[in-house]
Amino acid sequence: MTVCEAPGKVYLFGEHAVVYGEPAVPAAIERRATVTAEPRSDDHVRVEAEDLSLNGFTVEYAGGTGDRPDVDVPAPLVEAAMGYVDAAVRQARDAADAPDAGFDITVESDIPLGAGLGSSAAVVVAGIDAATRALGEPLDRRELADRAYHAEYEVQDGQASRADTFCSTMGGAVRIEGDDCEPIEAPNLPFVVGFDGGAGDTGELVAGVGELREEYGFAADTVESIGDVVRTGEKLLADAVSEADPSPELLAELGELMDFNHGLLSALGVSARSLDAMVWAARDAGAHGAKLTGAGGGGCIVALDASDASETALSFTHGCEEAFRAELATEGVRVVE
Ligand code: PMV
């Protein structure tokens, strides 16, 4: 039996603009998906995802994806647990050259689903890592990240960037620009996450930004401006490379850039009333800055705040279902046992 766990992420800067070749900086957070893989003597795959909903579910199917049965569980759970685990198993079989390998898989996760925190990427990364290790064929991190990206790409019909899977694999802060992905040094940033309990439709939101960009030159400029915010933020992080704990000046400057980034995303139409309410609640409580994270339209915001003030304020904010502190996960995917 092999157990691996992989972190979720927030976008410090750059979502949406990354689709148009601008850089983005996601950062892994200490909320993890845990996948257990136990090889079987037949080619069946049995997936147990007890804590992904109040009901949870267990499904067993034979052979490859074509034999996967329709299962009567809510759609996001099918995606999160079935589609992604299935894609992870196929990547692991391919990597280990073991097309008929069967597994008993268990998925547990404390990352809110489909809310911009990279829950599916964490399941895929931990799943491929656990399954390849269980077959005695562990992958190096670059190959693991690449295979996890392809698994997500397949499940999401081509709508996936490398950001979530690379960040979840490597941990810490990373820089994504097109297909170039690199870990970058970052101090231990004090994140607070607010979750409105919902999720935006990533495909629709990405398409909406695309239309605005086609229609208005200033929308295209806005996308480029997000790229400028990212470049400025990266430089701040690079200059602070020797700081284990971020200085008040660094937090103030990063927070200001996060506020700016949120404003630009808002201008592109991807914020929402609930997200704006949470962003303002965190700012009013004294956060250094706050922005939506991920595709937007609903889901999560991330604030920069070392005190408990934003978390408390968010928990009393209308529309905020869950608020939690989220330390930077310096370690990416790891073996638990
Ligand atoms: O909601 P998430 O975490 O999957 O982030 C989407 C980020 C976008 O830039 C909007 C799309 C993408 O694939 O990069």
Side-chain angles (χ1 to χ4, degrees):
M1 186 177 80
T2 309
V3 187
C4 291
E5 56 176 32
K9 64 100 207 10
V10 291
Y11 269 97
L12 195 48
F13 308 115
E15 55 274 85
H16 282 289
V18 71
V19 174
Y20 301 99
E22 300 291 347
V25 177
I29 57 169
E30 270 311 336
R31 282 256 162 163
R32 289 179 181 260
T34 305
V35 178
T36 303
E38 172 81 38
R40 293 171 59 115
S41 52
D42 58 18
D43 69 351
H44 289 208
V45 177
R46 181 173 180 276
V47 184
E48 200 180 320
E50 292 305 333
D51 72 342
L52 287 181
S53 78
L54 291 179
N55 300 326
F57 65 91
T58 303
V59 177
E60 183 174 328
Y61 58 97
T65 185
D67 301 324
R68 186 146 52 85
D70 284 340
V71 280
D72 187 19
V73 291
L77 300 183
V78 177
E79 278 192 21
M82 286 298 301
Y84 291 111
V85 171
D86 190 46
V89 165
R90 275 180 283 125
Q91 286 293 337
R93 284 173 171 157
D94 186 59
D97 203 13
D100 298 323
F103 298 94
D104 286 338
I105 303 258
T106 309
V107 182
E108 294 163 86
S109 176
D110 61 6
I111 309 167
L113 289 177
L117 297 184
S119 57
S120 55
V123 168
V124 167
V125 168
I128 298 176
D129 203 22
T132 48
R133 285 177 188 279
L135 294 174
E137 300 280 345
L139 302 177
D140 71 53
R141 281 178 184 248
R142 288 269 170 186
E143 182 175 355
L144 175 57
D146 191 55
R147 286 189 175 274
Y149 161 67
H150 283 101
E152 273 218 316
Y153 187 90
E154 201 176 295
V155 179
Q156 294 168 190
D157 289 331
Q159 279 199 349
S161 76
R162 291 179 179 272
D164 290 18
T165 38
F166 188 76
C167 190
S168 184
T169 306
M170 300 296 176
V174 303
R175 180 187 199 273
I176 309 295
E177 187 170 0
D179 283 340
D180 292 339
C181 308
E182 292 301 331
I184 58 174
E185 297 280 341
N188 189 14
L189 298 170
F191 296 123
V192 174
V193 173
F195 174 38
D196 72 1
D201 182 325
T202 304
E204 256 174 42
L205 291 153
V206 168
V209 171
E211 280 160 28
L212 279 179
R213 202 171 151 271
E214 290 289 307
E215 191 170 349
Y216 299 115
F218 49 79
D221 293 344
T222 304
V223 169
E224 280 180 31
S225 295
I226 292 177
D228 291 339
V229 170
V230 182
R231 283 180 278 274
T232 309
E234 293 184 78
K235 195 166 171 325
L236 286 177
L237 290 173
D239 291 347
V241 95
S242 57
E243 299 177 21
D245 290 319
S247 65
E249 295 75 28
L250 176 67
L251 289 175
E253 285 175 309
L254 287 175
E256 188 167 58
L257 293 178
M258 289 169 74
D259 286 343
F260 215 110
N261 198 158
H262 182 76
L264 295 169
L265 288 166
S266 240
L268 292 173
V270 298
S271 192
R273 192 179 289 269
S274 58
L275 299 178
D276 287 340
M278 292 192 288
V279 158
W280 277 107
R283 289 175 186 162
D284 287 348
H288 299 284
K291 62 182 279 296
L292 67 84
T293 173
C300 289
I301 66 118
V302 55
L304 205 56
D305 188 1
S307 80
D308 292 334
S310 303
E311 189 184 353
T312 308
L314 282 167
S315 63
F316 288 108
T317 301
H318 181 71
C320 177
E321 191 162 283
E322 196 187 342
F324 55 89
R325 179 161 290 293
E327 299 304 323
L328 183 76
T330 47
E331 213 182 336
V333 64
R334 63 188 177 206
V335 184
V336 184
E337 53 179 273

